[in-house]
Amino acid sequence: MSPLAGETTFSFLRRIAARYGMDGAALLAHWQWHGHRPRHEGGARRADAEVLLDGAGRSLLAGLCEVGEDALQRALPAWGLSDDKLTEPAAGGGERAGASGRRRGG
């Protein structure tokens, strides 16, 4: 499954889940998430929510959708963005294990 040009990574993850008849939460469970999904002051979820993935997270997504990372880089604006929280060492000083992502507002 290919992303739409300019699509958010979060939207793409949700489309992948829907395509395979999965609940979005079941697909998102493949990543270790940091932060909470952005909300408006009234508590409603923001439509412009985005996620940033670390290198392992990007590789995982590319493998799930069977699309090369170069194609994902061209289509998804947040693909190459990083966040310090994703590169911090794990508790105890070791490296983080597995794929990670961070939620943020648009």
Side-chain angles (χ1 to χ4, degrees):
M1 173 177 230
S2 296
L4 304 172
E7 183 173 21
T8 66
T9 306
F10 185 71
S11 170
F12 185 48
L13 287 166
R14 291 183 55 178
R15 283 196 317 110
I16 291 169
R19 168 68 174 85
Y20 293 105
M22 297 174 69
D23 177 64
L27 178 64
L28 295 176
H30 289 13
W31 286 265
Q32 176 184 349
W33 293 101
H34 306 278
H36 299 281
R37 186 166 175 196
R39 296 181 181 273
H40 291 287
E41 287 182 27
R45 291 182 177 176
R46 290 176 47 171
D48 65 347
E50 178 58 295
V51 297
L52 304 179
L53 304 175
D54 66 359
R58 290 189 294 269
S59 293
L60 175 62
L61 180 55
L64 287 172
C65 64
E66 298 181 345
V67 173
E69 289 193 42
D70 57 332
L72 294 172
Q73 171 73 41
R74 286 190 302 274
L76 303 172
W79 186 258
L81 300 179
S82 63
D83 186 290
D84 291 341
K85 295 286 186 188
L86 296 176
T87 58
E88 289 177 354
E95 291 187 19
R96 290 191 183 277
S100 294
R102 180 153 179 85
R103 295 176 173 100
R104 68 176 187 119

